[in-house]
Amino acid sequence: MSFFSALSPTPDSRLPLFIAAVLDYLIGDPWGFPHPVRVMGWLISQFNYFAFKYLRSERSLYWAGVVLGLGLILGSGAVSWLMVYAASQVHPLLGLVTDSILLASCFALRSLRTAAEDVLQPLKAGDLVQARAKLSLYVGRDTQELSAPEILRAVLETVAENATDGVMAPLFYAIASAFIPFINVAFLPLAYKAASTLDSMVGYREAPYTHLGRFSARLEDRLTWLPCRLTVLTLALRSLQPLYVWQMCQRDAIKDPSPNSGWSECAYAAVLGVQLGGTNWYRGVAKQKPLLGDAIYPITAEKIQQALQLTRYCFLLWLSLGIGAIALSR
C-alpha cells in the first residue's frame, strides 16, 4: 500500500453517503448520543469565556474570532479524518462505519421532521400552551403570546430555513468530499457544520458578539451561498414553475438581510403558495422581517408536511445524482 492510498480512509465514498442517509432516516440524532455539534458548542462557549474575560479592544476580539472560526472549522474536519483513518487501520469496515456515523450526524432531515411534528401535535389538539412551549425549543423568537397561525408560520419558516443549512448544504459538501482525494466523506460536512454552529452561537451583529462573531458569520454566509442557490433551483424545477419561483425570489428574497435564509424561505413560500415573514418578537423587542411570497393559501399543518416532503425530494435527488456521479468518475 502506497503512502497516498493509506491517506484515503474510505475507498468507496458511495457507501458512507448511502449508509449515512439511511441512518438519518431511521434513527436521526438519538437522545444522549455524543453529537459533534454538542462538542463544538462546548468548545465555542469555553473560547467565548476566555475572549470576553481577557480581550477588550474591537481589533483583538475580531482576530480572536478569526482564530476561533478557522480553528474550529479546520479542526473539526481534521478530527473526523483522524478518527476515520485510525478506525480504518483497525479494519476497513470500522473506518466505513465511523465515516458513515460522522456523516449521518451532519444531516438533520429526520430531526427537522421530528421538530415540526413535535409542535404540530399539540397544536392539532388545540393545546396552544404546549405548542408554544415546544416551539420555544426550536426558535429564538418569543413564543408566549403566539396565535395558532403565527405558530404555523414559525414552524414553516424553521423548516424552510434549516432545509438549506441543516440538510442540503451538508449533503452538498459530502458529495464534494467524495471527489477530493485523501479525505473522508464526512470531512467537509463536519467542517461546514462547525461553521454553521459558529454562526448560530456567535454570528450576531449585537453585542457582545459584534466583533468576535463577524468572521464566522461572513464565512458561513459564503459557504452556504452555493448550496442555497442550488436548493432554490431544485425547488423551482420541482414546482414545474421555475420562472415564477425565481421571480418571487428576485422580488422578495433580496429584501432579507441574510444572503441565504431569505432565498431558502422565499423558495418554499413560492412553491407552496404561502407568505412568510412579518413581525417577530425577540426578548420583547419587535423585529420586522420582509414578507416573502404571496398569500395565495393559508399556512396549515398540511403545508408544513408538503415542505418536509419537498426537502426529502431534494435530498434524495441530490443523493442519487451524487452517488451516480461518483460511480461514473471511478
Side-chain angles (χ1 to χ4, degrees):
M1 180 183 292
S2 69
F3 172 75
F4 288 112
S5 63
L7 285 179
S8 183
T10 310
D12 191 341
S13 50
R14 291 172 294 179
L15 283 174
L17 269 171
F18 176 77
I19 295 172
V22 172
L23 286 175
D24 179 65
Y25 178 78
L26 295 177
I27 303 173
D29 296 326
W31 181 260
F33 183 78
H35 200 286
V37 170
R38 295 192 182 98
V39 179
M40 295 173 189
W42 181 84
L43 290 171
I44 294 169
S45 297
Q46 297 303 307
F47 189 94
N48 290 350
Y49 175 80
F50 169 84
F52 293 135
K53 183 176 181 180
Y54 295 104
L55 303 178
R56 294 291 181 266
S57 70
E58 296 178 358
R59 183 178 180 84
S60 62
L61 284 171
Y62 172 78
W63 284 108
V66 173
V67 172
L68 171 63
L70 292 178
L72 189 68
I73 292 168
L74 297 177
S76 297
V79 168
S80 78
W81 185 91
L82 287 171
M83 290 177 64
V84 176
Y85 176 74
S88 300
Q89 299 310 296
V90 177
H91 194 280
L93 183 59
L94 184 59
L96 170 63
V97 170
T98 303
D99 203 14
S100 300
I101 292 174
L102 287 173
L103 180 56
S105 72
C106 298
F107 297 151
L109 191 58
R110 183 182 178 90
S111 299
L112 199 57
R113 184 172 72 251
T114 301
E117 292 173 350
D118 199 30
V119 180
L120 291 178
Q121 186 175 0
L123 187 62
K124 290 177 180 177
D127 190 346
L128 278 180
V129 175
Q130 183 69 4
R132 291 164 182 159
K134 293 288 187 180
L135 180 62
S136 67
L137 300 175
Y138 305 109
V139 301
R141 73 189 71 180
D142 299 342
T143 63
Q144 298 90 339
E145 304 297 330
L146 292 184
S147 63
E150 285 297 295
I151 293 174
L152 289 168
R153 176 170 72 88
V155 173
L156 184 53
E157 287 174 353
T158 300
V159 168
E161 180 180 357
N162 286 282
T164 294
D165 55 19
V167 179
M168 301 309 298
L171 178 58
F172 171 85
Y173 283 108
I175 295 170
S177 285
F179 288 94
I180 301 176
F182 318 132
I183 66 171
N184 56 301
V185 182
F187 186 100
L188 289 181
L190 270 174
Y192 173 79
K193 207 70 177 179
S196 181
T197 304
L198 282 162
D199 182 58
S200 65
M201 291 186 67
V202 301
Y204 301 102
R205 297 179 182 178
E206 297 83 9
Y209 302 108
T210 308
H211 307 290
L212 182 68
R214 186 188 308 162
F215 174 82
S216 295
R218 290 177 176 176
L219 181 60
E220 196 274 343
D221 285 343
R222 285 162 174 77
L223 292 174
T224 307
W225 192 92
L226 181 56
C228 178
R229 280 12 181 227
L230 291 175
T231 300
V232 170
L233 179 60
T234 307
L235 289 169
L237 293 173
R238 174 66 177 81
S239 72
L240 302 180
Q241 295 180 300
L243 185 59
Y244 169 75
V245 174
W246 191 257
Q247 287 175 339
M248 294 296 288
C249 289
Q250 288 285 347
R251 188 193 76 179
D252 296 339
I254 58 174
K255 302 173 186 176
D256 196 291
S258 168
N260 298 308
S261 64
W263 280 80
S264 184
E265 291 182 31
C266 189
Y268 276 89
V271 173
L272 297 171
V274 300
Q275 187 173 75
L276 300 177
T279 304
N280 297 334
W281 292 81
Y282 299 89
R283 298 180 182 179
V285 178
K287 183 176 182 180
Q288 188 67 33
K289 299 282 288 184
L291 296 177
L292 307 172
D294 292 332
I296 302 172
Y297 306 106
I299 300 174
T300 62
E302 289 71 27
K303 289 293 181 183
I304 294 170
Q305 292 295 338
Q306 289 176 27
L308 291 168
Q309 290 173 2
L310 285 170
T311 306
R312 191 179 304 118
Y313 168 84
C314 292
F315 183 88
L316 292 175
L317 177 62
W318 284 24
L319 181 67
S320 302
L321 293 175
I323 290 176
I326 295 166
L328 290 174
S329 67
R330 293 182 63 82

